[in-house]
């Protein structure tokens, strides 16, 4: 039983010599299906990080156990608190309970969904809010704090939506997006012959020096880049 925290994950990790962009976080979950249970968690803001730790650190809690390998990833840099649509109430404040393996709807949408996590989520949220307010595009946003578990209920919803765009700070070759398309194809909707959503992904893809927040622009997962990609996928660019 192991609980491990990696505090210099993703891109936004503060300027500290050369960087480690694109590390394969999913390599931590490289065992067989009948091996030790492994969970990879990447919370989106400080409040969610606290809730994730409270739920996943104890070996035994009230009505649950956390046996196996648990990895929690965070950036070194600060990330902003995320708010509900009223702009006042924290999403991960009072009343929120973290459920391992469950994807979370940050904003519902009829035009499709951006799927994100960690420090990429607040940038994706800005993109979603801007697309709604300025372009009239009703795009939704999903937070996936448990990286390596397929939430079957959410995946069925996503598979039937117009588009899914994964925006992340992990590597393009080995990050969440490299798995997500396969998960969509494994849904009941797809297996029964249903028409699948358009699928795209944005991820870390080149070297960088110093993990400053500006590096998000270089990697293309900043708000403007997410907006452009969504409009391109919808044929509105």
């Amino acid at each position: 039983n192991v609980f491990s925290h990696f505090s210099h994950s993703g891109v936004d990790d503060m300027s500290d010599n050369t960087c480690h962009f694109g590390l394969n976080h999913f390599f931590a979950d490289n065992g067989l299906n009948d091996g030790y249970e492994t969970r990879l968690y990447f919370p989106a803001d400080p409040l969610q990080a606290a809730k994730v730790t409270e739920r996943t650190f104890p070996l035994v809690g009230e009505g649950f156990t956390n046996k196996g390998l648990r990895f929690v990833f965070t950036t070194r840099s600060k990330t902003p608190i995320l708010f509900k649509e009223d702009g006042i109430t924290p999403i991960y404040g009072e009343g929120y309970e973290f459920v391992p393996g469950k994807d979370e709807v940050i904003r519902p949408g009829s035009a499709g969904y951006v799927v994100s996590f960690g420090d990429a989520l607040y940038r994706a949220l800005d993109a979603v809010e801007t697309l709604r307010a300025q372009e009239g595009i009703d795009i939704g946003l999903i937070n996936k704090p448990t990286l390596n578990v397929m939430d079957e209920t959410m995946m069925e919803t996503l598979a039937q939506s117009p588009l899914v765009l994964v925006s992340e700070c992990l590597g393009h070759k080995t990050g969440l997006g490299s798995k997500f398309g396969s998960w969509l194809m494994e849904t009941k909707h797809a297996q029964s012959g249903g028409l699948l959503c358009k699928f795209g992904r944005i991820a870390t893809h080149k070297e960088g020096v110093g993990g400053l927040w500006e590096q998000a622009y270089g990697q293309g997962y900043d708000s403007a880049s997410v907006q452009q990609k969504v409009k391109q996928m919808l044929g509105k660019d």
Side-chain angles (χ1 to χ4, degrees):
N1 299 309
V2 175
F3 180 90
S4 180
H5 172 226
F6 288 85
S7 63
H8 288 55
S9 300
V11 170
D12 202 0
D13 60 11
M14 297 179 66
S15 181
D16 190 6
N17 207 345
T18 56
C19 287
H20 45 255
F21 300 164
L23 290 180
N24 183 6
H25 290 53
F26 280 85
F27 187 74
D29 183 21
N30 66 352
L32 298 174
N33 291 351
D34 61 351
Y36 295 109
E37 183 175 283
T38 303
R39 293 291 180 265
L40 312 180
Y41 304 112
F42 206 142
D45 74 3
L47 297 179
Q48 187 175 42
K51 295 292 187 178
V52 168
T53 303
E54 290 171 2
R55 174 59 178 79
T56 62
F57 179 76
L59 275 179
V60 180
E62 187 174 345
F64 66 85
T65 61
N66 284 315
K67 293 181 179 180
L69 310 177
R70 294 101 70 206
F71 297 90
V72 176
F73 303 102
T74 63
T75 63
R76 184 178 175 186
S77 297
K78 294 180 180 179
T79 51
I81 301 296
L82 302 177
F83 294 96
K84 297 181 180 180
E85 294 188 61
D86 61 11
I88 300 173
T89 308
I91 295 174
Y92 299 113
E94 185 177 354
Y96 169 74
E97 292 186 10
F98 174 68
V99 179
K102 181 177 175 59
D103 298 348
E104 302 167 346
V105 178
I106 304 301
R107 298 287 190 272
S110 59
Y113 289 92
V114 177
V115 178
S116 193
F117 59 87
D119 71 285
L121 191 76
Y122 76 85
R123 296 171 166 107
L125 177 57
D126 183 81
V128 165
E129 295 284 20
T130 303
L131 287 169
R132 290 179 167 197
Q134 298 184 10
E135 304 287 344
I137 299 175
D138 185 31
I139 195 77
L141 178 62
I142 304 298
N143 181 22
K144 188 169 183 58
T146 307
L147 301 180
N148 65 324
V149 176
M150 176 179 171
D151 182 339
E152 294 184 5
T153 300
M154 181 61 73
M155 292 302 294
E156 293 294 338
T157 298
L158 296 177
Q160 298 175 59
S161 68
L163 73 83
V164 171
L165 172 63
V166 175
S167 180
E168 60 179 316
C169 57
L170 302 186
H172 191 270
K173 288 185 176 181
T174 59
L176 176 65
S178 67
K179 294 177 174 287
F180 215 81
S182 296
W183 288 347
L184 287 169
M185 294 179 68
E186 292 174 0
T187 58
K188 293 179 180 178
H189 173 73
Q191 293 298 310
S192 63
L195 182 64
L196 270 178
C197 60
K198 291 183 179 179
F199 176 68
R201 53 195 180 107
I202 297 172
T204 303
H205 58 280
K206 58 185 177 181
E207 293 285 346
V209 179
L212 299 172
W213 61 269
E214 290 93 341
Q215 288 282 354
Y217 294 93
Q219 301 297 341
Y221 73 99
D222 59 287
S223 174
S225 296
V226 174
Q227 293 173 51
Q228 182 180 11
K229 183 66 174 180
V230 169
K231 289 190 289 184
Q232 179 185 25
M233 293 176 69
L234 291 173
K236 298 183 178 182
D237 187 11

